Amino acid sequence: MALLPILRYPDPRLKKVASPVTQFDDQLAKLAKDMGETMYEAVGVGLAATQVDVHKRVIVMDVSENKDELIVFVNPEIIQASEEHKVYEEGCLSVPGIYDKVDRPASVRVRAQNVKGEFFELDCDELMAVCIQHEIDHLNGKVFVEYLSQLKQTRIKTKLKKHEREGA
């Protein structure tokens, strides 16, 4: 089992835009497996490769109740989004202990590849829709707190720096 270190906001590496995956090999499969183990250990529902300082377009997600339905999205893209929006409270493994409301499309259709390079499409709503949009944002160099006001962003940075200084 290889747990990967998760970057913490406002680490500048979280701003890097991830590159498309072009090689579907054992190295990619290992990355996806390690990301899954890291996500489960951190008690998350999604993790983007950007968050573990690998700048490839890879996401792992498991929104199931029993945490036994890991989905790997390679080169994911939203191909359809509902006009209806919904506000959900979001959190992030890169922004520990911080939760806030974000307005996003209520449902989306995603096209991606699996670790073997095979294409698939998935209709997502509820938590899955929120999670896939949140994780794709990471691949594009955006963290959910960037949807919040400048004042809230400053307060979050200050709070996280204080926790870091205190060794929390």
Side-chain angles (χ1 to χ4, degrees), residues 11-20 47-51 54-59 75-79 104 110 131-144 146-147:
D11 191 307
R13 293 171 290 179
L14 289 168
K15 296 290 231 174
K16 283 187 180 179
V17 176
S19 303
L47 186 68
T50 301
Q51 293 176 271
V54 176
H55 302 283
K56 298 281 183 197
R57 297 189 78 77
V58 180
I59 291 170
N75 299 325
E77 59 179 320
I78 294 171
I79 57 174
R104 298 185 185 271
V110 179
C131 190
I132 194 67
Q133 293 174 81
H134 176 113
E135 300 307 335
I136 288 174
D137 276 352
H138 276 300
L139 299 181
N140 294 327
K142 187 170 186 172
V143 179
F144 90 98
E146 293 172 44
Y147 287 98

Side-chain angles (χ1 to χ4, degrees), residues 44 72 112 119:
V72 179
F119 283 91

Side-chain angles (χ1 to χ4, degrees), residues 4-161:
L4 305 169
I6 298 172
L7 299 178
R8 300 291 169 107
Y9 177 80
D11 191 307
R13 293 171 290 179
L14 289 168
K15 296 290 231 174
K16 283 187 180 179
V17 176
S19 303
V21 172
T22 55
Q23 283 202 278
F24 295 83
D25 54 16
D26 291 344
Q27 196 173 0
L28 177 64
K30 181 179 179 349
L31 172 64
K33 184 177 184 288
D34 291 348
M35 286 175 61
E37 290 172 358
T38 301
M39 178 194 72
Y40 288 128
E41 182 71 24
V43 195
V45 293
L47 186 68
T50 301
Q51 293 176 271
V52 294
D53 202 20
V54 176
H55 302 283
K56 298 281 183 197
R57 297 189 78 77
V58 180
I59 291 170
V60 294
M61 260 175 49
D62 187 345
V63 297
S64 70
E65 214 166 287
N66 295 328
K67 300 296 175 223
D68 59 358
E69 296 176 26
L70 185 72
I71 303 173
V72 179
F73 298 84
V74 180
N75 299 325
E77 59 179 320
I78 294 171
I79 57 174
Q80 194 174 348
S82 66
E83 288 186 24
E84 177 194 353
H85 277 230
K86 208 164 185 179
V87 175
Y88 283 94
E89 187 167 78
E90 295 186 27
C92 180
L93 296 176
S94 291
V95 193
I98 305 295
Y99 300 88
D100 215 317
K101 292 175 172 48
V102 178
D103 183 359
R104 298 185 185 271
S107 63
V108 295
R109 183 167 186 83
V110 179
R111 177 186 297 130
Q113 291 166 278
N114 63 23
V115 291
K116 295 176 183 172
E118 301 161 338
F119 283 91
F120 67 94
E121 291 186 9
L122 194 59
D123 290 314
C124 307
D125 60 9
E126 301 295 325
L127 179 58
M128 184 174 265
V130 173
C131 190
I132 194 67
Q133 293 174 81
H134 176 113
E135 300 307 335
I136 288 174
D137 276 352
H138 276 300
L139 299 181
N140 294 327
K142 187 170 186 172
V143 179
F144 90 98
V145 296
E146 293 172 44
Y147 287 98
L148 308 177
S149 70
Q150 199 60 52
L151 175 64
K152 280 188 177 182
Q153 289 180 49
T154 301
R155 284 182 178 162
I156 289 167
K157 285 178 188 172
T158 302
K159 184 177 181 178
L160 292 175
K161 283 179 185 167

